[in-house]
Amino acid sequence: MRKKLVSLLSIGALSVGVLGACSNDEGTSGSESGSKDDVLKVWSFTDELKEPIKTYEEKNGVKVELTIVPIADYPTKLKPALESGVGAPDVFTGEIAFLKQWVDAGYWENLSDEPYNVNEISDDYIPYVFDLGKDKDGNVRALSWQTTPGGVYYKRSLAKEVLGTDDPTEIGNMMSSMDGVFEVAEKMKQKGYKMFPDEGAIRWFSQGANPEAWVNDKNELVLTEDKINYMDYAKELREKQYTALAPEWSPSWFEGMSKPIKVKEGGKETETQVFSYVLPTWGLHSVLKDSAKDTAGDWAVTNGPSPYFWGGTWLGVYEGSKNKEAAYDFVKLMTQDEEFLTGWAEETGDVLAYKPVTDKIKDDFSDEFLGGQNNYDFFLDQADEITPGIVTKYDQQLDTLYGASVLQYVEGKKSKEEAIEEFKKQAKNAYPDITVD
């Protein structure tokens, strides 16, 4: 998921949030020549599709008009077009924050039906990625070319100094549980370093080893023990001064990737280094490589206490398109064309969801920024461990509400019990149809 602009769709650094992203560009690209029937119209919130569109035009002789709408405006601008059919695209992308709403709304063509029959190739995809494109009846409406599992990116030099090794497998073994994470954090503190930039870094591990959806099949709110424990872990990080108090996406958050940052503790200001950042696949190319160029080669990535994913882009054919054959040809290029996807992965480093390609190329990846580590192989292993079926249409709002409640507890504004009750109250207000105990 390569983006030019990153936008956090959550409240506060502690939110169990969803990351969206978009291009700074607005408008269209592609040819305007010929009648509109000769033009395949594509809408997206990202400029990622520009290069694939060039390939598609060359291979198919079809002109493409790409409309890019910033993520903040994308749902409100696209929805009226999809519902009325006026000016609607033939192909459009969807981001994880609103994906489930859109697949259930029927805006995308049913790709499980003839002539697409995508269920026949379900085994060719990372399971959770394929699952996310299904509607409530199990029909596939959208596909994705990428998988976005996460890891813990850490500085090799600090690992060697404090932990005696910088080997990703050994570091991962140390952090395979939350207790292990805190043991490493204490060792970092003793040497004057911070484990994470902020407490929100661990929110991705709040699902734990047995993740469950926020809302189950009985339409009940599910607040798991792991999510409740996350509140205490976040509080402990703050109280034991294991973080640099650098909120996600703040200037100090980025600064800590490449140099010491100033931290105020006990009325005094000191400088410290941040050991690790919890980010997904695209965090390497879109965040770290941009903000930590001077520390290239001093990084590695490993697992945390549990697998997680962050973000992703899906696309499908508009149900009302008059160019469905051409539209699906474009979807196939992005999600199933082995020649194109091989080149795409090698050029961008995007971790693919299509196994016929990844099985062939995963052993040959090496990233100099990560000291020569094969992060591609690592992320594919993480992706296979992600549980399908945990994403619901309620997630974005509930993530935001829960994050706000956790923050109140961490900052001492509410007790743990008060914060939980406040979350439940807000959840019921936001979604009267769900059952909240």
Side-chain angles (χ1 to χ4, degrees), residues 188-202:
M188 288 293 159
K189 180 182 178 181
Q190 293 302 317
K191 291 291 186 177
Y193 305 127
K194 300 298 182 182
M195 181 69 182
F196 301 116
D198 73 331
E199 297 84 8
I202 64 166

Side-chain angles (χ1 to χ4, degrees), residues 337-351:
D337 187 301
E338 294 192 23
E339 180 182 3
F340 167 75
L341 288 173
T342 298
W344 177 264
E346 292 172 347
E347 178 185 351
T348 67
D350 218 355
V351 182

Side-chain angles (χ1 to χ4, degrees), residues 21 42 118-119 161 183 202 218 253 257 289 292 323 335 345 365 394 415 425 430-431:
V42 178
V118 298
N119 287 7
E161 177 189 344
E183 288 176 9
I202 64 166
K218 298 178 181 179
W253 186 81
M257 296 175 183
K289 286 186 177 181
N323 295 318
T335 62
F365 270 77
Y394 304 99
S415 68
K425 176 183 176 182
Y431 297 106

Side-chain angles (χ1 to χ4, degrees), residues 353-368:
Y354 193 56
K355 291 183 177 182
V357 175
T358 59
D359 287 346
K360 294 177 182 177
I361 66 176
K362 64 181 181 181
D363 294 334
D364 297 325
F365 270 77
S366 175
D367 200 299
E368 293 183 4

Side-chain angles (χ1 to χ4, degrees), residues 340-413:
F340 167 75
L341 288 173
T342 298
W344 177 264
E346 292 172 347
E347 178 185 351
T348 67
D350 218 355
V351 182
L352 303 176
Y354 193 56
K355 291 183 177 182
V357 175
T358 59
D359 287 346
K360 294 177 182 177
I361 66 176
K362 64 181 181 181
D363 294 334
D364 297 325
F365 270 77
S366 175
D367 200 299
E368 293 183 4
F369 188 89
L370 298 176
Q373 181 183 0
N374 185 342
N375 60 301
Y376 210 92
D377 196 35
F378 163 76
F379 279 125
L380 287 170
D381 286 342
Q382 291 292 297
D384 278 334
E385 295 182 25
I386 295 170
T387 303
I390 62 172
V391 176
T392 73
K393 63 182 180 181
Y394 304 99
D395 292 355
Q396 183 182 357
Q397 183 70 9
L398 293 180
D399 285 350
T400 299
L401 294 174
Y402 192 60
S405 292
V406 174
L407 185 59
Q408 288 184 315
Y409 173 56
V410 169
E411 294 183 342
K413 296 177 180 178

Side-chain angles (χ1 to χ4, degrees), residues 172-207:
N173 289 337
M174 294 179 192
M175 299 195 297
S176 61
S177 67
M178 288 304 301
D179 287 343
V181 167
F182 278 85
E183 288 176 9
V184 172
E186 178 61 28
K187 291 179 181 179
M188 288 293 159
K189 180 182 178 181
Q190 293 302 317
K191 291 291 186 177
Y193 305 127
K194 300 298 182 182
M195 181 69 182
F196 301 116
D198 73 331
E199 297 84 8
I202 64 166
R203 70 186 185 275
W204 300 106
F205 306 126
S206 67
Q207 283 279 10

